[in-house]
């Protein structure tokens, strides 16, 4: 093969400006997406009062990343990442506009909602992969942990703002009006992307077929023993935790006897926790060995979820506090992992490796969602918070004694085998 080409270079100030413009556009788009998610999940909960219906919605949102993640990652590494984000935002805006029109004429039902949730998830997988793979090309490695913390803080801020905003908008506007907010935010994000340039990674002059690149991503992950253990842990955690959060609206209505505002309180508390944890991680940077920060956060998040599952119906305020702690610990869990991946995985492999890992981590979550509805309808939603809390805490404790996990960064493969 010919020597790799050098990536495009730009003056540091220009790259920094482009990154912050990209970040601002992403924040705008993410706010609209969270509004749509809150509105649609609450619409399903109110329309059906069914744990199974909510489980199906979450299952459909999980499937694109699990089934198509490696292929999407390979395509992201081949294509222009700015173009991918533009196309993803445009597609999501079009889908939401279609739902708004159906709601306006009174013909909205579960079928179109399920279809749009699946397709939006597919586009979000493309968008997320392109965004994450662009960050290490625009930001020096020494700042990656802080950017990861800042991204978690952004997620927390929007988790704090979007649910109450969604609840208020649902009281003030019909559903079509709420959905149109997402269309507007997607268009604003696209406008931002039009005025920036994202550097491209080093690439071989002659590239193999995309499916061969997808296999390269799988091979890279397979040769990283510590990452394989973490992926197995993540799969177990997602199996138990994903149903708990998917069924949170029914936890509010059935267990705490609340409404949309109470659901917004819990989701906002999680968001405030993410902000707090993100700011702390951004200022602190975590332990020198970043995996220790992840495992400590995982144990703390497990304790918070376990508390949620054991609370009586009259302890709603304690539930709000538990969600706050869980959000902060979630940042400590995920932020360092993204920083590790962005620091050690070669930039030209980032898209496919990130989505290979995401696919494996989510591979049995659909099974959890298939069981979630019947189990919750039979014994209560709380059982999933208890199961999720125990799984997080125990896997975090066990991982501290696994050398390949503790030495995750040092043992990462340096390249794809030729």
């Amino acid at each position: 093969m010919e020597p790799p080409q050098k990536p495009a270079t730009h003056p540091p100030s220009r790259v920094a400006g482009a990154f912050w413009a990209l970040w601002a556009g992403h924040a705008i788009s993410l706010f609209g997406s969270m509004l749509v998610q809150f509105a649609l999940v609450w619409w399903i909960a109110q329309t059906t009062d069914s744990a199974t219906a909510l489980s199906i919605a979450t299952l459909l949102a999980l499937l694109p990343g699990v089934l198509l993640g490696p292929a999407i990652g390979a395509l992201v590494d081949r294509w222009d990442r700015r173009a991918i984000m533009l196309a993803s935002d445009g597609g999501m805006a079009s889908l939401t506009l279609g739902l708004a029109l159906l709601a306006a004429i009174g013909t909205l039902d579960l079928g179109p909602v399920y279809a749009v949730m699946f397709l939006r998830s597919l586009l979000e997988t493309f968008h997320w992969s392109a965004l994450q793979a662009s960050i290490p090309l625009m930001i020096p490695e020494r700042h990656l942990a802080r950017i990861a913390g800042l991204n978690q803080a952004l997620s927390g801020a929007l988790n704090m703002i979007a649910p109450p905003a969604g609840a208020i908008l649902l009281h003030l506007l019909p559903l079509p009006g709420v959905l149109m907010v997402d269309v507007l935010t997607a268009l604003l994000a696209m406008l931002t992307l039009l005025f920036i340039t994202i550097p491209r990674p080093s690439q071989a002059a002659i590239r193999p077929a995309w499916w061969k690149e997808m296999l390269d991503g799988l091979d890279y992950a397979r040769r990283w023993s510590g990452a394989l253990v973490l992926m197995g842990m993540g799969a177990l955690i997602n199996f138990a935790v994903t149903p708990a959060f998917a069924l949170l609206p029914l936890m509010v209505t059935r267990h705490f006897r609340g409404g949309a505002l109470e659901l917004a309180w819990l989701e906002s508390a999680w968001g405030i926790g993410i902000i707090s944890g993100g700011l702390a991680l951004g200022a602190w940077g975590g332990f020198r060995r970043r995996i220790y920060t992840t495992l400590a956060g995982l144990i703390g998040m497990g304790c918070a979820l376990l508390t949620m599952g054991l609370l009586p119906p009259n302890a709603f305020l304690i539930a709000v506090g538990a969600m706050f702690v869980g959000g902060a610990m979630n940042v400590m869990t995920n932020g360092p992992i993204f920083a590790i991946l962005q620091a050690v995985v070669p930039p030209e492999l980032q898209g496919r490796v990130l989505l290979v890992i995401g696919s494996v981590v989510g591979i049995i979550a659909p099974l959890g969602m298939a069981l979630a509805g019947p189990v919750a309808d039979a014994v209560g939603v709380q059982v999933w918070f208890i199961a999720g809390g125990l799984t997080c805490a125990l896997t975090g404790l066990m991982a501290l004694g696994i050398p390949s996990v503790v030495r995750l960064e040092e043992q990462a493969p340096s390249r794809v085998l030729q």
Side-chain angles (χ1 to χ4, degrees), residues 203-218:
Q203 296 178 352
I206 301 174
R207 301 193 61 167
W210 71 267
W211 59 266
K212 174 62 168 61
E213 293 189 327
M214 179 184 75
L215 294 178
D216 287 342
L218 289 167

Side-chain angles (χ1 to χ4, degrees), residues 86-101 116 119-120 123 180 182-184 186-187 190:
L86 278 167
S88 298
D89 281 332
M92 286 187 281
S94 299
L95 291 168
T96 305
L97 180 60
L99 276 189
L101 292 174
V116 166
L119 293 172
R120 279 183 62 95
L123 293 171
M180 287 304 296
D182 177 61
V183 176
L184 176 61
L187 292 176
M190 292 173 68

Side-chain angles (χ1 to χ4, degrees), residues 355-369:
L355 281 178
V356 163
I357 291 174
S359 294
V360 174
V361 166
I363 198 165
I364 63 171
L367 176 60
M369 292 312 308

Side-chain angles (χ1 to χ4, degrees), residues 42 45 48-54 247-259 313 372-382:
W42 187 249
T48 67
D49 190 33
S50 167
T52 300
L54 282 173
L247 300 176
L248 187 60
L250 295 184
M251 181 78 162
V252 170
T253 58
R254 293 182 182 180
H255 186 66
F256 292 117
R257 305 299 178 187
V375 170
D377 286 332
V379 299
V381 179
Q382 304 95 294

